[in-house]
Amino acid sequence: PHADKLRSLFGWIVPPCLRFIAKECRAMLNVGITATDEITRVRALMTMFDTLVIARLADAGDMLPLWVENFFVFALVWSVGGLVDGASRVKFDAFLRALASGSPPRGYEAAEVGGCFGEPAPWLGFVPAADGSTVYDYVFDERAGRWTLWLDTIHESDLSIPAEAQFSSILVPTLDTARYTYLVDTLVSSSKPVLFVGPTGTGKSAYVQKYVLSLATDKWLSIFINFSARTSANQAQDIIDARMDKRRRGVFGPPLGRKAVVFVDDLNMPQLEEYGAQPPIELLRQWMDHGGWYDL
């Protein structure tokens, strides 16, 4: 039954959302709509849903139908609708709520009768509609079985600043730190790569660096790389290889019992080569797509 529910959700909601994002929304920094195709956004949805549900499957019990439905909505918001600007988020929120209520806007009437291959169904629980809030302001709390505001997930202990803290290292918890740390942790914990984008000077590096440094050192090996215009693929490979242990002939990895997390800052900096590619990024793509690279 859960497979049927998921198939229906995908067929009913995803196609009209993809169309609305492409026609009515603006991308953040021209990333996402112009540079990311629909297949990539749907794959991101499936990856996010997979990490949210599979990791918690053993604890679901009778809550599984509620979790499947609500984690799907959460994953949809942060994949298909994740790379749009602030004004577009408000529009996408209104559109998603109209779609979910069975009253799609003009031009999207097909969704009312099931869209491509799914059937509209009543929700076991949907994102609340509080004044001034959007679907981007809520996270699904699986233990309570309901949606809660991101700001309510910040505990008083998170607001304390150690007396010896350096000024440059202080990061005050906000709505953004709460949701981006949650998203990064969800994906990294499931060994999924994360690309964190946004305008210059908005604290992206600080968010990720603080998260990586907070990981337990007995379970994680942290590797930090700063790309520049002159970074080569060989340099990137050498930095990572130098931190690895030899497992057996031709196979290297972090020390046994630990996982490696690689934080690459300024990913877009390497200069283009003759044919328009950026070799250090292509090397990382090879690693993510094929699970390794060749010995230099």
Side-chain angles (χ1 to χ4, degrees):
H2 304 304
D4 293 338
K5 176 75 170 181
L6 263 182
R7 180 178 174 82
S8 185
L9 286 170
F10 267 92
W12 169 32
I13 290 180
V14 174
C17 282
L18 288 170
R19 181 181 172 210
F20 182 83
I21 290 284
K23 289 170 67 71
E24 308 293 341
C25 297
R26 290 185 58 193
M28 178 174 56
L29 289 179
N30 291 324
V31 216
I33 311 309
T34 55
T36 307
D37 57 29
E38 291 186 350
I39 291 295
T40 303
R41 293 201 290 279
V42 173
R43 184 180 178 186
L45 165 58
M46 297 172 73
T47 299
M48 177 70 74
F49 179 82
D50 183 57
T51 58
L52 287 164
V53 174
I54 298 301
R56 298 165 169 84
L57 205 54
D59 304 321
D62 295 339
M63 300 281 278
L64 187 57
L66 183 68
W67 287 15
V68 166
E69 182 180 280
N70 287 279
F71 278 133
F72 170 84
V73 174
F74 181 85
L76 175 77
V77 168
W78 289 104
S79 55
V80 173
L83 282 173
V84 297
D85 64 12
S88 297
R89 285 186 174 187
V90 175
K91 291 196 289 186
F92 182 70
D93 169 75
F95 175 77
L96 183 59
R97 291 183 188 280
L99 203 65
S101 69
S103 305
R106 183 177 180 184
Y108 294 87
E109 291 85 1
E112 193 173 357
V113 292
C116 293
F117 52 86
E119 294 299 326
W123 298 91
L124 298 176
F126 196 70
V127 191
D131 290 342
S133 65
T134 68
V135 289
Y136 296 92
D137 296 317
Y138 286 89
V139 59
F140 181 67
D141 182 348
E142 68 272 14
R143 294 182 186 86
R146 58 182 173 80
W147 292 85
T148 185
L149 288 166
W150 284 110
L151 289 174
D152 292 340
T153 66
I154 300 174
H155 304 293
E156 198 167 327
S157 58
D158 299 328
L159 302 173
S160 60
I161 299 173
E164 68 279 4
Q166 295 291 322
F167 182 77
S168 59
S169 68
I170 296 174
L171 197 64
V172 179
T174 64
L175 171 67
D176 286 336
T177 62
R179 55 190 177 190
Y180 297 143
T181 301
Y182 177 91
L183 292 167
V184 171
D185 181 57
T186 297
L187 292 164
V188 170
S189 300
S190 300
S191 301
K192 305 293 185 184
V194 189
L195 180 61
F196 200 29
V197 300
T200 302
T202 50
K204 299 185 302 298
S205 299
Y207 293 157
V208 179
Q209 192 170 41
K210 182 176 182 180
Y211 168 76
V212 172
L213 291 173
S214 72
L215 293 171
T217 54
D218 60 330
K219 296 181 180 179
W220 293 90
L221 170 68
S222 303
I223 303 172
F224 294 85
I225 305 176
N226 278 82
F227 276 1
S228 70
R230 301 184 65 83
T231 302
S232 68
N234 284 3
Q235 288 172 337
Q237 184 173 343
D238 284 340
I239 291 171
I240 296 174
D241 284 350
R243 300 290 305 278
M244 298 296 160
D245 292 350
K246 186 172 184 177
R247 297 277 181 84
R248 58 183 186 275
R249 183 177 179 182
V251 178
F252 293 79
L256 285 174
R258 297 164 74 187
K259 286 184 177 182
V261 57
V262 182
F263 171 38
V264 182
D265 205 4
D266 293 325
L267 182 74
N268 65 326
M269 287 295 287
Q271 64 183 12
L272 301 175
E273 44 97 280
E274 181 181 357
Y275 300 101
Q278 293 167 286
I281 298 178
E282 297 304 325
L283 180 78
L284 296 177
R285 283 174 58 92
Q286 182 184 24
W287 181 23
M288 288 187 284
D289 291 345
H290 300 287
W293 45 45
Y294 293 102
D295 189 332
L296 293 174

